[in-house]
Each structure stands twice: as structure tokens, then as C-alpha cells.
Amino acid sequence: METPATPTHCPYCALQCGMNLTPAPDGGVEVTERADFPVNRGALCGKGRTAPAVLSSRVRLTSPLVRSRDGALRPAGWGEALDRVAEGLAGARVAHGPDACGVFGGGGLTNEKAYALGKFARIVLGTSQIDYNGRFCMSSAAAAGNAAFGLDRGLPFPLQDVPRTGCVILVGANPAETMPPSLRYFTELRENGGTLIVVDPRRTKTAEQADLHLAPRPGTDLALALGLLHLVVAEGRTDEDYVRRRTSGWEEARAAAMAHWPEYVERITGVSVPQLRRAVRMFCEPESAMVLTARGPEQQSKGTDTVGAWINLCLATGRAGRPLSGYGCLTGQGNGQGGREHGQKADQLPGYRKLTDPEARRHVAEVWGVDPDSLPGPGRSAYELLDALGTDVRALLLMGSNPVVSAPRAAHVEERLRSLDFLAVSDVVLSETAALADVVLPVAQWAEETGTTTSLEGRVLLRRRALAPPPGVRTDLEVLHELAARLGVEKGFPTDPEEVFDELRRATAGAPADYSGITYRRLAEQNGIFWPCPSGNGPAGSPTGTPTETGTETGTHTRTGTRTDAGTGTGTGIRTDGHPGTPRLFLDRFATGDGRARFAPVSYRAAAEEPDEEYPVLLTTGRVVAQYQSGAQTRRVDELNAAAPGPFVELHPRLAARLGAAEGDPLAVVSRRGRAVAAARITTAIRPDTVFMPFHWPGEGRANTLTNPALDPTSRMPEFKVCAVRLEVVRP
């Protein structure tokens, strides 16, 4: 009898493409098409197609490792390894207090793991020192969205709405390489008569598809957005009735924007006045339009203000909280959305509750069975936590992150990790960070365990277990259960993910990110459920929009869905036993106290570090299609390495000529924080004053050796996207 395929989702980006896993002759699994999932409709990028390669014992960890007295990592049993971790954490706590223990999580952890990790930090360790690598992803967009709308959900509408709008401004995003199956939405937008504007210092593969490409100088996206808003006002294109009925703070925001006249903005950004005027016409003339941002404008020391300025553009033109219009953020990591909703962020409790809110503390403490006063307050943000290692924070438990490659000023972060009294890393592979640990715990992967993730749409999805993990490997939930018991907490950390999720539902009931009406059974019968989804049939906990049928996909390119996941039942796609979820937010009111959106009164300011005589060139960083994040997993896949074997420095021919550099020459890129060397890649697709490096590789070509940890004052996002460097040709 043929074994049925297991419907699940890709382990990589926040698109969370649907895929089927079928048994392979070698005992593993193969990826096959899953056309019923509406987001990718069967399409997968190379990373998704090759994802099972990392399941191989050839490339992954299958035994705990402990550091012996001679400094080498050696295989060990689980009992010894877990005892060492518990002793390391307990020793730091006894010697230096609870906040001497730190916890660092990841945006790739499932909702269940993120929830359990935050709970472990706060009630087992009693520490405030917990954050995660998602702080490096879209925290500025989250801060701006919360300020403007009262709620942060990456996209307040499904991706299916994108091809049906009139114009999309895509700011600092390159989905052709970061999430290739999503590019079809922008292609269909143009096929339907809409227009695409791409804002990026490089002429990326996405920019090549645009009707208009604006190439601002890195770090000037804020000036660009303000200049566009200036023109909207000057040309009489504001929606005054909408502004009056649905917003507040317009007078201050308008006054700030009017100080950014077009010629001034042209001098700052390098984008010509005619291009600015054309962008305004393209955005304002259709009945509907959207602005979508990604890491470009967000990973700046003024990222929150920058995103706020793009939101202002939407609000002033009446393009938010209306069908087929609005502001959205393209989340990066696989569970970047859910990862920050459920408690592994320094200032949050599950459900996007604020750690400083007494009622939020009371509710969550009741679910956890502890005194609200026992919960610690907010701790350090991600970079600040990493910077404190070895001084204030003496022991660290790290799950699913590789900051040795992914953090800004990475050489300094590596030094801080080495200075710890104790480091434990729970991961799938021996990453560059795991290689520094005192104990390494090998854990199960996406195909070997069940759990939920929340996609960039705010769609909660069920990843299903398709095969058992190899002997010697445990799940992260089992790790937390065992550590909690060793540290004196015998109950409260179940190993069954559905049991954890049911507790998460109770913890989020009535919260902004309310998951209480979502169950594994419903997820198995539908193509995911959009939060907020409270229990029962009443309105969502936050007054954010009109709930609609979660299982129904409408529009020019999708079908009105019936059942969604093969082999899970015959559901209609419209549940009658609970709230259907909320695909589209803000249609009735925004999630603020008075239901109005808030303008941000922001003005342009320069990057934290501008070029000078010693460092005359701007560096920006990003991704390539064949690698993912720090590359800890994708760099172990032969097919992906063949497509993207190593780092490079992209520079304009004019800059190359001044340096005397030829294609392929080794170039040293030097900043105030360090030096990286990679091969020259000469192209006219980048500005002459800018160089680009992908950040997937460690060692000599590590781009994040160079990047600036200057933090946004609100989001605490580091300024990955712009710093000053000089270039030198490395001669033999």
C-alpha cells in the first residue's frame, strides 16, 4: 500500500509555501508539489525543493556534544549534556542573580517553541534577558505599525489582494530572490493593468520587473517618502475626507513633510524630481494602492521613522483600511511573525501582550500558575543582549540562531560569545555559533515534528511531522521539558506540541494576536487561519476589521476553496463552530483606542555613519536566491552551493576603474569595525557610490564584520543596511 503524502510547509522564508513530503527510497522524504495551497500554488524555489537534504545525517547533528577539558567538542549522552546545561545556567544564577542567565531565540522556531522558550526564561530562570534574532528582521516595521494602527501584523491583507490593486510601491524588497514564488503576484498585478514601483539602490531582479525603479542612496528612504508626501500635498492629491474621518495627527505630519521639497529630496536621495512626480501619479491615480516594505528601509537606525513616513503616504491618500489598499511588511524569517507574538521578545508576553501591562501580566500568570509579581520586566534587545555577554550576562541558552554570522559587528559579537562562562546551543547543525558552545544539543527539524507557524500574511499554519528524527535527536520542547525539571520546575513544559498550542491559545485569549479560536483540527481542515481568531463566534479581541471566511480564496487567480490539506478530511473551508479568522484588518476601524490611525510627524535625518575621506563608499547588505539567512543550513546543500558558492562584492564599473579592480579580483572592504575580503562582481546594476555584499557566509567574507550596530531608538533595530567603508584591491 502506498504511503500517503504528508502536506506541510517549507522550513525557510515567511511565505511558508505549501509542499507535500513523500517517502524516498533511502528512508527519507522527497518534496512534491502541493497545488492546493493558495499562496504558492505548487511553486517552490530551489531552497524549498532541496530542503530534505539537510535532514541527512551527513550534514546534521545526531548526538549531543560537550566541551572536554582539552577544549574540543566530543559526543556525549543526553543525560550528561542536559546536566551540564542545567548546571551552567544554575551556577550563573546562584553566583550573579537571575539576569546573569540569558536566552536567545530565533524567528524560525515554531509558535509552540517560541511560547515555551519565553515561558522557560521567565518562570524557570526568572530572567528578563531574553530576545531573539527576529529583532534584526522587521522590528522597525512592527514599531511603526503599532504606532500608526495600534496593531502589528506583517500584511493586514492576504497576498491574493496584491494583483488586484492599482499600484504597489515595493520599498527595499527583492522578492525575486528572497521569496521567488511570490513574484507571480507582482507579475499578475501588471498583467491586470496595475503598476509596480520598486525602491532599491540596486537594479535587482525584482527592479527589472518594475514599471518604475527608484534608486535612492542607501539610508535616504525616509527623505524619499517625505518628498513623495510633499508632492501629494502640493498637487492636491490628499484624501481630505478620509484624513478627517479616520486619522489623527495630520497637521504635524503635513508640516514636517512640507519641509522636504522635491529639489531638496533629489539632492539627498539622487532620485530626480521627474521620477518623484511620476511615482506620485502612478500611486495616486488608481482607486487602490499599496506600500510594501522589507529590510531596506527597516534595518536603519531611523527605521521606525522611515516606515512611519511610508505609512503617512498611505494615510494621506486614503490607502489604508480600505479594500485592496494599505501598508504591509514582507516578513523575512519563516516564523518571523509568530516568533515575536508569543513571548521570546524582550518586552512581550504571548499574544502580543505587553510585559509592562498589569492586566496582561495577570492573565498570562494565571495561565502559567504563577504570581504576576514573579514575572520579570522587559530586558535588553537582541544586540544589546549580545553586547552584554560575558559581563552582565554570564550564561546563555541559544536556540535556532547563528549570531556569529548574522549579527551586526559580528567579530565583536563572536568575542562576547567566547567570553561567556557558559554557552549552550540547541540547533540542527553545527553552526558557527554552535561551534563555540560548551554544550550543543541536536534537535529535530521541520519534517520531523509537528508545530505551527504564522506566515507573513498573519496566516497560522500547521506543519506536520512526516518522519521520525534520527536516533540521538530530540525536539526543542523535549529539551525545555528536561531542563525545567532539572532546574526545579517539574510541570508546565509538555513535550506534545498540540498540548503546548492549547495552552498558547488560553494565554492569547483576548490579546491583540488572539489565537484562542484556532485548533490543530481546524488548521488540518483549512489552509490556515488568519489571526485574530477568538474562541466562539463573537468579534475579535481587537477591533481591527471584518472577519471573513478563512478557507475562501477569491480574486482573479484563486479558487473558492473547499478542502485545503490533502488527506485531512472533507471540511467546507468555512467553519461553523468558531470564529473564521480575520484575513483583512482595519476595514471598519483601526486598533487604536479611538479607532483612528495615527500619522507620524517625522523628518529626515542622516544615517548614523556617513561616508568621509577615510571611508568614502556606502555598503549595503542583503541576500541571494540560493542561500538563506546565515546560511547555516543552505550552505550544507550541494545544489545551492553550486549556485552561490561564496561571498562577493558588487560594485559599479566607475568605482572599479578608480580602484583598478577587475572582475573576480579579491577586494578588501574595510569599515570602522573590521575587514572582509571577497571577489569583485562588477555591474551597472548598482549605484557608483555604493557596494553590496550578501551576508550568508562566515570567515574572511563575513559581511556583518563590517555592519554598524547603531540602534533605532524605538525598535532597537541595528543599522545593517548602511555604513561607510573603503575598498582595497588585495594584491598577491
Side-chain angles (χ1 to χ4, degrees), residues 54 58 245 267 315 341 470 479 505 566 648:
V54 188
R58 182 178 64 86
R245 288 186 300 105
R267 289 199 300 273
L315 295 177
E341 294 169 2
V479 167
R505 293 172 56 214
F648 58 87

Side-chain angles (χ1 to χ4, degrees), residues 52-207:
V54 188
L55 298 169
S56 168
S57 58
R58 182 178 64 86
V59 300
R60 54 101 56 89
L61 295 167
T62 56
S63 170
L65 303 174
V66 299
R67 197 165 297 281
S68 58
R69 290 182 178 179
D70 65 3
L73 287 171
R74 61 169 176 83
W78 272 96
E80 179 188 359
L82 290 167
D83 286 346
R84 286 275 297 269
V85 176
E87 290 166 5
L89 295 172
R93 186 173 58 179
V94 169
H96 305 286
D99 278 355
C101 293
V103 176
F104 199 87
L109 301 180
T110 62
N111 291 318
E112 293 81 359
K113 294 178 185 180
Y115 173 84
L117 189 63
K119 181 180 179 182
F120 178 87
R122 293 183 173 100
I123 72 171
V124 177
L125 299 178
T127 183
S128 67
Q129 300 304 301
I130 175 172
D131 212 84
Y132 79 127
N133 65 14
R135 178 79 68 169
F136 300 156
C137 178
M138 56 174 292
S139 56
S140 292
N146 276 319
F149 307 129
L151 185 71
D152 156 48
R153 196 180 84 186
L155 292 182
F157 40 72
L159 276 167
Q160 65 168 12
D161 287 0
V162 170
R164 301 161 57 207
T165 192
C167 177
V168 171
I169 302 180
L170 196 57
V171 189
N174 184 17
E177 296 198 68
T178 59
M179 45 182 67
S182 73
L183 191 63
R184 67 172 57 186
Y185 290 98
F186 303 102
T187 301
E188 290 169 2
L189 165 73
R190 299 181 71 208
E191 290 173 349
N192 292 340
T195 56
L196 175 64
I197 302 170
V198 171
V199 178
D200 199 301
R202 304 165 61 224
R203 187 164 181 80
T204 63
K205 292 181 180 179
T206 304

Side-chain angles (χ1 to χ4, degrees), residues 21 23 25 137 159 162 238 248 291 315 325 373 380 458 483 502 506 547 601 613 654:
L21 297 180
C137 178
L159 276 167
V162 170
T238 54
S248 63
V291 172
L315 295 177
S325 289
D373 292 338
R380 293 175 172 89
L483 289 177
D502 284 342
R506 297 194 301 275
E613 289 186 6
R654 293 212 298 266

Side-chain angles (χ1 to χ4, degrees), residues 440-464:
V440 183
L441 304 174
V443 290
Q445 297 188 54
W446 57 288
E448 300 164 347
E449 57 184 350
T450 295
T452 62
T453 62
T454 306
S455 75
L456 77 169
E457 301 177 296
R459 188 193 300 245
V460 185
L461 302 164
L462 183 64
R463 282 190 194 162
R464 295 169 177 82

